[in-house]
Coordinates of all heavy atoms in Angstrom, one line a residue:
N562 N 10.3 49.7 9.9 CA 10.1 49.2 11.2 C 10.5 47.6 11.2 O 10.2 47.0 10.2 CB 8.8 49.6 11.8 CG 7.7 48.5 11.9 OD1 7.8 47.4 11.7 ND2 6.6 49.1 12.5
Y563 N 11.0 47.2 12.2 CA 11.5 45.8 12.3 C 10.4 44.7 12.3 O 10.6 43.7 11.6 CB 12.5 45.6 13.5 CG 13.6 46.4 13.5 CD1 13.9 47.4 14.5 CD2 14.6 46.4 12.5 CE1 14.9 48.2 14.5 CE2 15.7 47.1 12.5 CZ 15.9 48.1 13.6 OH 17.0 48.9 13.5
E564 N 9.3 45.0 12.9 CA 8.2 44.0 12.9 C 7.7 43.8 11.4 O 7.5 42.6 11.0 CB 7.1 44.6 13.7 CG 7.4 44.7 15.2 CD 6.3 45.2 16.0 OE1 5.1 45.5 15.4 OE2 6.5 45.6 17.2
R565 N 7.6 44.8 10.7 CA 7.1 44.7 9.3 C 8.2 44.0 8.5 O 7.8 43.1 7.7 CB 7.0 46.1 8.7 CG 6.2 46.1 7.4 CD 5.8 47.6 7.1 NE 5.1 47.5 5.9 CZ 4.7 48.5 5.2 NH1 5.1 49.7 5.6 NH2 4.0 48.4 4.1
A566 N 9.5 44.3 8.7 CA 10.5 43.6 8.0 C 10.5 42.0 8.3 O 10.6 41.2 7.5 CB 11.9 44.1 8.3
I567 N 10.3 41.8 9.5 CA 10.2 40.4 10.1 C 9.1 39.7 9.4 O 9.2 38.5 8.9 CB 10.2 40.2 11.6 CG1 11.5 40.7 12.1 CG2 9.8 38.9 12.1 CD1 11.6 41.0 13.7
Y568 N 7.9 40.4 9.3 CA 6.8 39.7 8.6 C 7.0 39.4 7.3 O 6.7 38.2 6.8 CB 5.6 40.7 8.7 CG 4.4 40.2 8.0 CD1 3.5 39.4 8.5 CD2 4.1 40.8 6.7 CE1 2.4 38.9 7.8 CE2 3.0 40.4 6.0 CZ 2.2 39.4 6.5 OH 1.1 39.1 5.8
H569 N 7.6 40.3 6.5 CA 7.9 40.1 5.1 C 9.0 39.0 4.9 O 8.9 38.1 4.0 CB 8.3 41.3 4.4 CG 7.1 42.2 4.2 ND1 6.0 42.0 3.4 CD2 6.8 43.4 4.8 CE1 5.1 42.9 3.5 NE2 5.6 43.8 4.3
L570 N 10.0 39.0 5.8 CA 11.1 38.0 5.6 C 10.6 36.6 6.0 O 11.0 35.7 5.5 CB 12.3 38.5 6.5 CG 13.0 39.8 6.0 CD1 13.9 40.3 7.2 CD2 13.8 39.3 4.8
T571 N 9.7 36.6 7.0 CA 9.1 35.3 7.3 C 8.4 34.7 6.1 O 8.4 33.5 5.9 CB 8.2 35.4 8.5 OG1 8.9 35.8 9.7 CG2 7.6 34.1 8.9
N572 N 7.7 35.6 5.5 CA 6.9 35.1 4.2 C 7.8 34.6 3.2 O 7.6 33.7 2.5 CB 6.0 36.2 3.7 CG 4.8 36.4 4.6 OD1 4.4 35.5 5.3 ND2 4.2 37.5 4.5
A573 N 9.0 35.4 3.1 CA 10.0 35.1 2.0 C 10.6 33.7 2.4 O 10.9 32.8 1.5 CB 11.0 36.1 2.0
L574 N 10.9 33.5 3.7 CA 11.4 32.1 4.0 C 10.4 31.0 4.0 O 10.8 29.9 3.8 CB 12.1 32.2 5.5 CG 13.3 33.0 5.5 CD1 13.7 33.3 7.0 CD2 14.4 32.3 4.8
D575 N 9.1 31.3 4.1 CA 8.1 30.3 3.8 C 8.1 29.9 2.4 O 8.0 28.6 2.1 CB 6.7 30.9 4.2 CG 6.5 30.9 5.7 OD1 7.2 30.3 6.5 OD2 5.5 31.6 6.1
D576 N 8.4 30.8 1.5 CA 8.4 30.6 0.0 C 9.7 29.8 -0.3 O 9.8 29.0 -1.2 CB 8.3 31.8 -0.8 CG 6.9 32.4 -0.7 OD1 5.9 31.7 -0.3 OD2 6.8 33.7 -0.9
N577 N 10.9 30.3 0.3 CA 12.2 29.7 -0.1 C 12.9 29.6 1.3 O 13.6 30.4 1.7 CB 12.9 30.6 -1.0 CG 14.2 30.1 -1.4 OD1 14.6 29.0 -1.0 ND2 15.0 30.9 -2.1
P578 N 12.8 28.4 1.9 CA 13.4 28.2 3.3 C 14.9 28.3 3.3 O 15.5 28.4 4.4 CB 12.9 26.8 3.6 CG 11.8 26.5 2.8 CD 11.9 27.3 1.5
V579 N 15.6 28.2 2.2 CA 17.0 28.2 2.2 C 17.5 29.5 1.5 O 18.7 29.6 1.1 CB 17.6 27.0 1.4 CG1 17.3 25.7 2.1 CG2 17.1 26.8 0.0
S580 N 16.8 30.5 1.6 CA 17.3 31.8 1.0 C 18.4 32.4 2.0 O 18.1 32.7 3.1 CB 16.1 32.8 0.9 OG 16.6 34.1 0.7
K581 N 19.5 32.5 1.5 CA 20.6 33.0 2.3 C 20.4 34.5 2.7 O 20.5 34.9 3.9 CB 21.9 32.9 1.6 CG 22.4 31.6 1.3 CD 23.8 31.6 0.5 CE 24.0 30.4 -0.4 NZ 25.2 30.6 -1.1
E582 N 20.0 35.3 1.8 CA 19.7 36.6 1.9 C 18.5 36.9 3.0 O 18.8 37.8 3.9 CB 19.3 37.4 0.7 CG 20.4 37.3 -0.4 CD 20.5 36.1 -1.2 OE1 19.6 35.2 -1.1 OE2 21.5 35.9 -1.9
A583 N 17.5 36.2 2.9 CA 16.4 36.3 3.9 C 16.8 36.0 5.2 O 16.4 36.6 6.2 CB 15.1 35.6 3.4
C584 N 17.6 34.9 5.4 CA 18.0 34.4 6.7 C 18.9 35.5 7.3 O 18.7 35.8 8.5 CB 18.8 33.1 6.5 SG 17.8 31.7 6.6
V585 N 19.8 36.0 6.6 CA 20.7 37.0 7.1 C 19.9 38.3 7.6 O 20.1 38.8 8.7 CB 21.8 37.5 6.2 CG1 22.6 38.7 6.6 CG2 22.8 36.3 5.9
L586 N 19.0 38.8 6.7 CA 18.2 39.9 7.0 C 17.3 39.7 8.2 O 17.2 40.6 9.1 CB 17.4 40.3 5.8 CG 18.3 40.8 4.8 CD1 17.4 41.2 3.5 CD2 19.0 42.2 5.1
I587 N 16.7 38.5 8.3 CA 15.9 38.3 9.5 C 16.6 38.2 10.8 O 16.1 38.7 11.9 CB 14.9 37.1 9.3 CG1 13.6 37.2 10.1 CG2 15.6 35.8 9.5 CD1 12.5 36.3 9.8
V588 N 17.8 37.7 10.7 CA 18.7 37.6 11.9 C 18.9 39.1 12.4 O 18.8 39.4 13.6 CB 20.0 36.9 11.6 CG1 21.0 37.2 12.7 CG2 19.8 35.5 11.4
K589 N 19.3 40.0 11.4 CA 19.5 41.3 11.8 C 18.3 42.1 12.4 O 18.4 42.7 13.3 CB 20.0 42.1 10.6 CG 21.4 41.7 10.2 CD 21.8 42.5 8.9 CE 23.2 42.2 8.5 NZ 23.6 43.0 7.4
A590 N 17.2 41.8 11.7 CA 15.9 42.4 12.1 C 15.5 42.0 13.5 O 15.2 42.9 14.4 CB 14.7 42.1 11.1
Y591 N 15.7 40.7 13.9 CA 15.2 40.2 15.2 C 16.3 40.8 16.2 O 15.9 41.2 17.3 CB 15.3 38.7 15.3 CG 13.9 38.1 14.9 CD1 13.9 37.1 13.9 CD2 12.8 38.2 15.6 CE1 12.7 36.6 13.5 CE2 11.6 37.8 15.2 CZ 11.6 36.8 14.2 OH 10.4 36.2 13.9
Y592 N 17.6 40.8 15.8 CA 18.6 41.4 16.7 C 18.3 42.8 17.0 O 18.3 43.3 18.2 CB 19.9 41.2 16.1 CG 21.0 41.7 16.9 CD1 21.4 41.1 18.2 CD2 21.8 42.8 16.6 CE1 22.4 41.6 19.0 CE2 22.8 43.3 17.4 CZ 23.1 42.7 18.6 OH 24.1 43.1 19.3
M593 N 18.1 43.6 16.0 CA 17.9 45.1 16.2 C 16.5 45.4 16.9 O 16.3 46.4 17.6 CB 17.8 45.8 14.8 CG 19.2 45.6 14.2 SD 20.6 46.3 15.0 CE 20.2 48.1 15.0
S594 N 15.6 44.4 16.8 CA 14.3 44.7 17.5 C 14.4 44.2 19.0 O 13.5 44.5 19.8 CB 13.2 43.9 16.8 OG 13.3 42.5 17.1
G595 N 15.5 43.6 19.3 CA 15.7 43.1 20.7 C 15.2 41.7 21.0 O 15.3 41.3 22.2
D596 N 14.7 41.0 19.9 CA 14.3 39.6 20.1 C 15.5 38.7 19.9 O 15.9 38.1 19.0 CB 13.2 39.4 19.1 CG 12.6 37.9 19.3 OD1 13.2 37.1 20.0 OD2 11.5 37.7 18.8
I597 N 16.2 38.6 21.1 CA 17.5 37.8 21.1 C 17.3 36.3 20.8 O 18.1 35.7 20.1 CB 18.1 38.0 22.5 CG1 18.4 39.5 22.7 CG2 19.5 37.2 22.5 CD1 19.1 40.2 21.6
L598 N 16.2 35.7 21.3 CA 16.0 34.3 21.1 C 15.8 34.0 19.7 O 16.4 33.0 19.1 CB 14.8 33.8 21.9 CG 15.1 33.8 23.5 CD1 13.8 33.4 24.2 CD2 16.2 32.9 23.9
N599 N 14.9 34.8 19.0 CA 14.7 34.4 17.6 C 16.0 34.9 16.7 O 16.3 34.2 15.7 CB 13.5 35.3 17.1 CG 12.2 34.5 17.3 OD1 12.2 33.3 17.1 ND2 11.2 35.2 17.8
A600 N 16.6 35.9 17.2 CA 17.9 36.2 16.4 C 18.9 35.1 16.4 O 19.5 34.7 15.4 CB 18.5 37.5 17.0
E601 N 19.1 34.5 17.7 CA 20.0 33.3 17.8 C 19.4 32.2 17.0 O 20.2 31.5 16.3 CB 20.2 32.9 19.2 CG 21.1 31.8 19.4 CD 21.3 31.4 20.8 OE1 20.5 31.8 21.7 OE2 22.3 30.7 21.1
S602 N 18.1 31.9 17.0 CA 17.6 30.7 16.3 C 17.9 30.9 14.8 O 18.2 29.9 14.2 CB 16.1 30.6 16.7 OG 15.5 29.6 15.9
F603 N 17.5 32.1 14.3 CA 17.7 32.2 12.8 C 19.1 32.4 12.5 O 19.5 32.0 11.4 CB 16.8 33.4 12.4 CG 15.4 33.2 12.2 CD1 14.4 33.3 13.0 CD2 15.0 32.6 10.9 CE1 13.1 33.1 12.8 CE2 13.6 32.3 10.6 CZ 12.7 32.5 11.7
A604 N 19.9 32.8 13.3 CA 21.4 32.8 13.1 C 21.9 31.4 12.9 O 22.7 31.1 11.9 CB 22.2 33.5 14.1
K605 N 21.4 30.5 13.8 CA 21.9 29.1 13.6 C 21.3 28.5 12.4 O 22.1 27.7 11.6 CB 21.4 28.3 14.9 CG 22.2 28.7 16.1 CD 21.6 28.0 17.3 CE 22.4 28.3 18.6 NZ 21.8 27.6 19.7
R606 N 20.1 28.9 12.0 CA 19.5 28.4 10.7 C 20.3 29.0 9.5 O 20.6 28.2 8.5 CB 18.0 28.8 10.6 CG 17.4 28.5 9.3 CD 15.9 28.8 9.4 NE 15.2 28.7 8.0 CZ 14.0 29.0 8.0 NH1 13.2 29.3 8.9 NH2 13.5 28.9 6.7
S607 N 20.7 30.2 9.5 CA 21.4 30.9 8.5 C 22.7 30.1 8.3 O 23.3 30.0 7.2 CB 21.6 32.4 8.8 OG 22.4 33.0 7.8
L608 N 23.4 29.9 9.5 CA 24.7 29.2 9.3 C 24.7 27.8 8.9 O 25.6 27.2 8.3 CB 25.4 29.2 10.8 CG 25.8 30.7 11.1 CD1 26.4 30.7 12.5 CD2 26.9 31.3 10.1
Q609 N 23.5 27.1 9.0 CA 23.3 25.8 8.4 C 23.2 25.9 6.9 O 23.8 25.0 6.2 CB 22.0 25.0 9.0 CG 22.2 24.6 10.3 CD 20.9 24.0 10.9 OE1 19.8 24.3 10.3 NE2 20.9 23.3 11.9
I610 N 22.7 27.0 6.5 CA 22.6 27.1 5.0 C 24.0 27.7 4.5 O 24.4 27.2 3.4 CB 21.6 28.2 4.7 CG1 20.1 27.7 5.1 CG2 21.5 28.6 3.2 CD1 19.1 28.7 5.1
N611 N 24.6 28.5 5.1 CA 25.9 29.1 4.7 C 26.8 29.3 5.8 O 26.8 30.3 6.5 CB 25.6 30.5 4.0 CG 26.8 31.0 3.4 OD1 27.8 30.4 3.3 ND2 26.8 32.4 3.0
P612 N 27.6 28.3 6.2 CA 28.4 28.3 7.4 C 29.5 29.3 7.5 O 29.8 29.7 8.6 CB 29.1 26.9 7.4 CG 28.3 26.1 6.5 CD 27.6 27.0 5.5
D613 N 29.9 29.9 6.5 CA 30.8 30.9 6.4 C 30.3 32.3 6.3 O 31.0 33.3 6.0 CB 31.9 30.6 5.3 CG 32.5 29.3 5.4 OD1 32.9 29.0 6.6 OD2 32.8 28.6 4.5
D614 N 29.0 32.5 6.5 CA 28.5 33.9 6.3 C 28.9 34.9 7.4 O 28.6 34.7 8.6 CB 27.0 33.8 6.4 CG 26.3 35.2 6.1 OD1 26.4 35.6 4.9 OD2 25.8 35.8 7.0
M615 N 29.8 35.7 7.0 CA 30.4 36.7 8.0 C 29.4 37.6 8.6 O 29.5 37.9 9.8 CB 31.5 37.5 7.2 CG 32.4 38.3 8.3 SD 33.1 37.4 9.6 CE 34.2 36.3 8.8
E616 N 28.3 38.1 7.9 CA 27.3 38.9 8.5 C 26.7 38.3 9.7 O 26.5 38.9 10.7 CB 26.4 39.3 7.5 CG 26.9 40.4 6.4 CD 25.8 40.8 5.5 OE1 25.0 41.8 5.8 OE2 25.7 40.3 4.5
T617 N 26.3 37.0 9.4 CA 25.6 36.3 10.5 C 26.6 35.9 11.7 O 26.1 36.2 12.8 CB 25.0 34.9 9.9 OG1 24.2 35.1 8.9 CG2 24.3 34.2 11.1
L618 N 27.8 35.6 11.4 CA 28.7 35.4 12.5 C 29.1 36.7 13.3 O 29.1 36.5 14.5 CB 30.0 34.8 11.8 CG 30.0 33.4 11.3 CD1 31.3 33.1 10.5 CD2 29.9 32.4 12.5
L619 N 29.1 37.8 12.6 CA 29.2 39.0 13.4 C 28.1 39.3 14.3 O 28.2 39.8 15.4 CB 29.5 40.2 12.4 CG 30.8 40.1 11.7 CD1 30.9 41.2 10.6 CD2 32.0 40.4 12.7
V620 N 26.8 39.2 13.8 CA 25.7 39.5 14.5 C 25.6 38.5 15.7 O 25.4 38.9 16.8 CB 24.3 39.4 13.7 CG1 23.2 39.5 14.6 CG2 24.3 40.5 12.7
L621 N 25.8 37.3 15.5 CA 25.8 36.2 16.5 C 26.9 36.5 17.6 O 26.6 36.4 18.8 CB 25.9 34.8 16.0 CG 25.6 33.7 16.8 CD1 24.2 33.7 17.3 CD2 25.7 32.4 16.1
G622 N 28.1 36.8 17.1 CA 29.2 37.1 18.0 C 28.9 38.3 18.9 O 29.0 38.2 20.1
D623 N 28.3 39.3 18.2 CA 28.0 40.5 19.0 C 26.8 40.2 20.1 O 26.9 40.7 21.2 CB 27.4 41.7 18.1 CG 27.3 43.0 18.7 OD1 28.3 43.4 19.4 OD2 26.2 43.6 18.6
L624 N 25.8 39.4 19.6 CA 24.8 39.0 20.5 C 25.3 38.2 21.7 O 25.1 38.5 22.9 CB 23.8 38.1 19.7 CG 22.6 37.5 20.4 CD1 21.5 37.4 19.3 CD2 22.8 36.2 21.1
Y625 N 26.2 37.3 21.5 CA 26.8 36.5 22.6 C 27.7 37.4 23.5 O 27.6 37.3 24.8 CB 27.6 35.4 22.1 CG 26.9 34.3 21.5 CD1 27.3 33.5 20.5 CD2 25.6 34.0 22.0 CE1 26.5 32.4 19.9 CE2 24.8 32.9 21.4 CZ 25.3 32.1 20.4 OH 24.6 31.1 19.9
F626 N 28.5 38.4 22.9 CA 29.3 39.2 23.8 C 28.5 40.2 24.6 O 28.8 40.3 25.8 CB 30.3 40.0 22.7 CG 31.2 40.8 23.5 CD1 32.3 40.3 24.1 CD2 31.0 42.2 23.6 CE1 33.3 41.1 24.7 CE2 31.9 43.0 24.2 CZ 33.0 42.4 24.8
K627 N 27.5 40.7 24.1 CA 26.7 41.7 24.7 C 25.8 41.1 25.9 O 25.4 41.8 26.8 CB 25.7 42.6 23.8 CG 26.4 43.6 23.0 CD 25.6 44.4 22.1 CE 26.3 45.4 21.4 NZ 25.5 46.1 20.5
H628 N 25.6 39.8 25.7 CA 24.8 39.1 26.8 C 25.7 38.1 27.6 O 25.2 37.3 28.2 CB 23.6 38.3 26.1 CG 22.6 39.3 25.6 ND1 22.7 39.9 24.3 CD2 21.6 39.9 26.1 CE1 21.7 40.7 24.1 NE2 21.0 40.7 25.2
N629 N 26.9 38.5 27.6 CA 27.9 37.9 28.5 C 27.9 36.3 28.3 O 28.2 35.6 29.3 CB 27.6 38.1 30.0 CG 27.9 39.6 30.3 OD1 28.8 40.2 29.8 ND2 27.0 40.2 31.0
N630 N 27.8 35.8 27.2 CA 27.9 34.5 26.9 C 29.3 34.3 26.2 O 29.4 34.0 25.0 CB 26.8 34.0 26.0 CG 26.7 32.4 26.1 OD1 27.7 31.8 26.3 ND2 25.6 31.9 25.8
L631 N 30.3 34.4 27.0 CA 31.6 34.4 26.3 C 32.1 33.1 25.9 O 33.0 33.0 25.1 CB 32.6 35.0 27.4 CG 32.3 36.5 27.8 CD1 33.3 37.0 28.8 CD2 32.3 37.4 26.6
I632 N 31.5 32.1 26.4 CA 31.9 30.7 25.9 C 31.5 30.5 24.5 O 32.3 30.1 23.6 CB 31.4 29.6 26.9 CG1 32.0 29.7 28.3 CG2 31.5 28.2 26.2 CD1 31.4 28.8 29.3
K633 N 30.3 30.9 24.2 CA 29.8 30.8 22.9 C 30.4 31.8 21.9 O 30.7 31.6 20.8 CB 28.3 31.0 22.8 CG 27.5 29.8 23.3 CD 26.0 30.0 23.1 CE 25.2 28.8 23.6 NZ 23.8 29.0 23.4
F634 N 30.7 32.9 22.5 CA 31.5 34.0 21.7 C 32.8 33.5 21.3 O 33.2 33.6 20.1 CB 31.5 35.3 22.6 CG 32.4 36.4 21.9 CD1 31.9 37.1 21.0 CD2 33.7 36.6 22.3 CE1 32.7 38.1 20.4 CE2 34.5 37.5 21.7 CZ 33.9 38.3 20.7
N635 N 33.5 33.0 22.2 CA 34.8 32.5 21.9 C 34.8 31.3 20.9 O 35.6 31.1 20.1 CB 35.6 32.1 23.1 CG 36.1 33.2 24.0 OD1 36.3 34.3 23.4 ND2 36.1 33.1 25.3
Y636 N 33.8 30.4 21.1 CA 33.6 29.3 20.1 C 33.5 29.8 18.6 O 34.1 29.2 17.7 CB 32.5 28.5 20.6 CG 32.2 27.3 19.6 CD1 33.0 26.3 19.6 CD2 31.1 27.4 18.6 CE1 32.8 25.1 18.7 CE2 31.0 26.4 17.7 CZ 31.7 25.3 17.7 OH 31.5 24.2 16.9
I637 N 32.7 30.9 18.5 CA 32.4 31.4 17.2 C 33.7 31.8 16.5 O 34.0 31.5 15.4 CB 31.4 32.6 17.2 CG1 29.9 32.0 17.5 CG2 31.4 33.3 15.9 CD1 29.0 33.1 17.6
W638 N 34.5 32.5 17.3 CA 35.7 33.1 16.7 C 36.9 32.1 16.7 O 37.8 32.4 16.1 CB 36.0 34.4 17.4 CG 34.9 35.4 17.1 CD1 34.1 35.9 18.1 CD2 34.5 35.9 15.9 NE1 33.2 36.7 17.5 CE2 33.4 36.7 16.1 CE3 34.9 35.7 14.5 CZ2 32.7 37.3 15.0 CZ3 34.2 36.3 13.6 CH2 33.1 37.1 13.8
A639 N 36.7 31.0 17.3 CA 37.8 30.0 17.3 C 37.6 29.1 16.1 O 38.6 28.4 15.7 CB 37.7 29.1 18.6
C640 N 36.4 29.1 15.5 CA 36.2 28.2 14.3 C 36.8 28.7 13.0 O 37.0 29.8 12.9 CB 34.7 28.0 14.1 SG 33.9 27.1 15.5

């Protein structure tokens, strides 16, 4: 379940705030749970750690596209 995953990933990020793997996974968990604000927030954090992370870019692009934020969607794919 996503809530449990988020709990454990939050703890992992408390221990290692720059964990690329934990950031990517928590973005996906928040996104799949429907928590768009936290998904976007952690996606931005993930991209600060690893700006070229394709998994995070795909989730963020999908999030923006599905929520009709085409300006941000286009910006992601223009970079």
Side-chain angles (χ1 to χ4, degrees):
N562 110 0
Y563 298 118
E564 291 173 11
R565 193 168 183 190
I567 290 166
Y568 172 80
H569 289 292
L570 290 164
T571 299
N572 288 336
L574 286 169
D575 286 343
D576 292 339
N577 182 4
V579 295
S580 170
K581 294 180 206 177
E582 296 81 11
C584 273
V585 171
L586 291 173
I587 202 166
V588 169
K589 290 179 178 181
Y591 274 123
Y592 179 70
M593 296 302 291
S594 74
D596 187 340
I597 302 309
L598 293 177
N599 275 316
E601 181 180 18
S602 175
F603 276 95
K605 290 176 180 179
R606 177 177 171 178
S607 178
L608 292 173
Q609 287 177 343
I610 296 166
N611 186 12
D613 298 322
D614 184 72
M615 190 53 68
E616 286 183 84
T617 301
L618 288 168
L619 287 170
V620 172
L621 193 56
D623 191 52
L624 183 151
Y625 289 149
F626 183 77
K627 285 183 177 176
H628 291 88
N629 294 318
N630 196 334
L631 299 180
I632 293 171
K633 287 184 179 181
F634 173 80
N635 287 329
Y636 176 76
I637 287 175
W638 297 115
C640 293

